[in-house]
Amino acid sequence: MLHDRVLVRQETGEGERRSGGGILIPATAAVGRRLAWAEVVAVGQNVRTVEPGDRVLFDPEDRAEVEVRGIAYSLMRERDLHAVAADRFEGSEDSTGLYL
C-alpha cells in the first residue's frame, strides 16, 4: 500500500435484512444513500488513524474496487473514512470505542 491509501474488505450484507422493528426488507428494495462498515486489511505508510483489523465507516459510492486472489476489496484514501471502531479506543474511561 502506498501513501495514505486504505484497503478494506466490506462485510457482505447484500441480501434481505431486517429493520430495527423486525420488518423484513428485500434485497431489491431501494434505499437512500447509506454508509457501510468494512474491515481494514492493509494501510499505506502515511496512514495515521487506522490499523489493520479496525472497522471503518465509509461511503460505498466513493470507492475503487479491486480483486486480489478472488476476494473483492475497496481501495480509498484515509480522508474518505467517516469513523473508526477499534478495541484500542475502548481503554480510556470516557471512550465509546469510536473515533469520529
Side-chain angles (χ1 to χ4, degrees), residues 17-75:
R17 61 188 189 282
R18 291 202 178 269
S19 70
I23 298 172
L24 183 66
I25 302 170
T28 57
V31 294
R33 186 172 168 184
R34 297 181 65 150
L35 298 177
W37 287 100
E39 179 184 353
V40 176
V41 177
V43 296
Q45 68 268 22
N46 295 336
V47 174
R48 297 176 297 181
T49 57
V50 296
E51 297 176 359
D54 291 349
R55 291 184 63 224
V56 293
L57 187 66
F58 70 101
D59 187 353
E61 295 178 7
D62 297 335
R63 64 179 179 178
E65 292 186 6
V66 63
E67 188 172 316
V68 178
R69 297 183 182 160
I71 301 173
Y73 296 98
S74 296
L75 181 65

